[in-house]
Amino acid sequence: MAVSTSRRALVMVSAAAVSTAVLVGCGSKHADATHQDAAPNTTAVAATASPTETPSTGPSASSSATPTPTASTTAGPSASRSPGATASKSAKPSPSATPSGTKPSTADTPAAANPPAAPATQPPVAKPVVAAPVPTPKPGPTAPPPPAPATPHVPPLQSGCQPSKPQPDEPKDAVSAALTSAAGQSRTLNLSNGGTDKLPPLPVNLVKAIAWQESGWQSGILACDGGIGTMQVMPNTVSWMNTKFGTVSDPKTLPGNVQLGTQLLDWLVAYYGDSSFGGKYDLSPDPTTGKTPLLDLVISAYNAGAGNVHYNTVTDPTTNQVVGSLVIPNPSYVANVKALMSSQPWTKTG
């Protein structure tokens, strides 16, 4: 009887042990399975979470900061193509998590979050406006205004009328040489009262630019309003130039034409220099203002006539100061010639 009781107790202890082992094994298997199933979801969250840790400062900042509803189950194209990826490989952000070409933001660093304030800049100091000088006549004999057509001359290349070609054009090299030679002369202008004006050589680029504006260096061209050749000399100025400078130039020849045209420019320099600049004939820009009032007057009057171009005195309404004022009827012509002086298109053509 005692033996039976012992055996029964042993059987019961053994059964309990076996049951415990089975239960422990089943619990471990379920825990492992649960851990393996959770890994992909945990990896997906980690991959999409990295952009939210560094918010973008660009237009897509709001969309990057808030995960999408499917972020916990989908990590982007790479995750869906590799469902069996391990946690160590899947922890890297997928291509869809970090936009291509976007630089990592540094907004989470103290320096980027609080950039140093830009140094205060002082407003630019306005330079005082330098008024044009009051016209000052030269003491003693002055040059009178040269003859001018009733209306400004219209260069044939800007005219609606078709110019004629009574004679062939000279080669451009010959025209250039003639213009350079004529510009380089130091002329003496005979004044009506017996005095003279000694004039310096003209700027070569001024002479070439006016000839280019007037005719495009076509020496044989004849404009509809009577302008002749390269410098478009008007017929009524020929006798005046020859008389005042003591020459016998023919406007239908290249040398005579450029001689007459440059003589007219010299006369204009003398007239405006004597009447408005105290007898100074400097055509270079003013060192203070950078303006070229004498040059502008000469260029304008070559086209419009000295009778239509003036340098007057006016009173500045803001300061009540008496200053000089240019009256130029053809500002576009002046601007074109000055632009040609700078660009020198004749050096770029064949």
Side-chain angles (χ1 to χ4, degrees):
M1 192 68 176
V3 173
S4 298
T5 301
S6 299
R7 287 180 178 177
R8 185 179 299 172
L10 180 59
V11 169
M12 292 179 65
V13 170
S14 298
V18 170
S19 299
T20 301
V22 170
L23 290 175
V24 170
C26 293
S28 299
K29 182 177 181 181
H30 177 72
D32 290 342
T34 303
H35 176 72
Q36 291 175 1
D37 292 341
N41 292 341
T42 304
T43 302
V45 172
T48 57
S50 57
T52 65
E53 295 173 1
T54 309
S56 170
T57 57
S60 59
S62 60
S63 60
S64 299
T66 306
T68 60
T70 58
S72 60
T73 57
T74 304
S78 61
S80 62
R81 287 195 301 265
S82 305
T86 60
S88 60
K89 293 182 180 179
S90 302
K92 296 181 181 180
S94 66
S96 61
T98 304
S100 176
T102 303
K103 295 182 179 179
S105 172
T106 56
D108 57 334
T109 62
N114 299 291
T121 57
Q122 297 295 332
V125 179
K127 295 182 179 179
V129 178
V130 180
V134 177
T136 305
K138 182 185 75 172
T142 61
T151 57
H153 166 64
V154 180
L157 300 183
Q158 287 85 47
S159 173
C161 175
Q162 184 66 30
S164 60
K165 276 291 186 70
Q167 57 192 37
D169 294 329
E170 296 284 347
K172 288 295 191 290
D173 290 344
V175 175
S176 178
L179 294 170
T180 301
S181 175
Q185 298 180 26
S186 298
R187 296 184 175 87
T188 299
L189 173 63
N190 297 317
L191 304 180
S192 56
N193 61 356
T196 58
D197 272 337
K198 302 291 185 179
L199 302 169
L202 293 165
V204 175
N205 279 356
L206 168 62
V207 175
K208 290 185 173 181
I210 287 181
W212 193 273
Q213 172 73 15
E214 289 288 334
S215 68
W217 287 16
Q218 299 178 69
S219 62
I221 197 169
L222 180 63
C224 298
D225 62 2
I228 304 169
T230 303
M231 298 291 288
Q232 287 293 283
V233 178
M234 301 302 290
N236 65 333
T237 64
V238 175
S239 59
W240 285 81
M241 297 305 110
N242 283 330
T243 299
K244 291 298 181 180
F245 289 96
T247 56
V248 289
S249 301
D250 181 359
K252 296 180 181 180
T253 66
L254 176 60
N257 187 280
V258 298
Q259 185 70 232
L260 290 165
T262 50
Q263 285 173 348
L264 176 56
L265 285 171
D266 266 330
W267 194 343
L268 292 169
V269 170
Y271 167 62
Y272 289 108
D274 286 355
S275 63
S276 302
F277 297 90
K280 296 180 180 179
Y281 310 130
D282 187 5
L283 298 176
S284 60
D286 182 86
T288 304
T289 64
K291 297 181 179 180
T292 54
L294 180 54
L295 176 65
D296 293 357
L297 291 167
V298 169
I299 294 174
S300 176
Y302 188 90
N303 171 253
N308 299 315
V309 181
H310 308 282
Y311 191 34
N312 300 327
T313 57
V314 297
T315 301
D316 189 332
T318 59
T319 63
N320 290 326
Q321 180 184 4
V322 179
V323 296
S325 175
L326 277 67
V327 179
I328 293 179
N330 51 353
S332 60
Y333 180 91
V334 176
N336 287 344
V337 170
K338 293 172 74 173
L340 290 170
M341 291 176 66
S342 299
S343 62
Q344 303 180 40
W346 49 86
T347 63
K348 305 176 179 66
T349 59

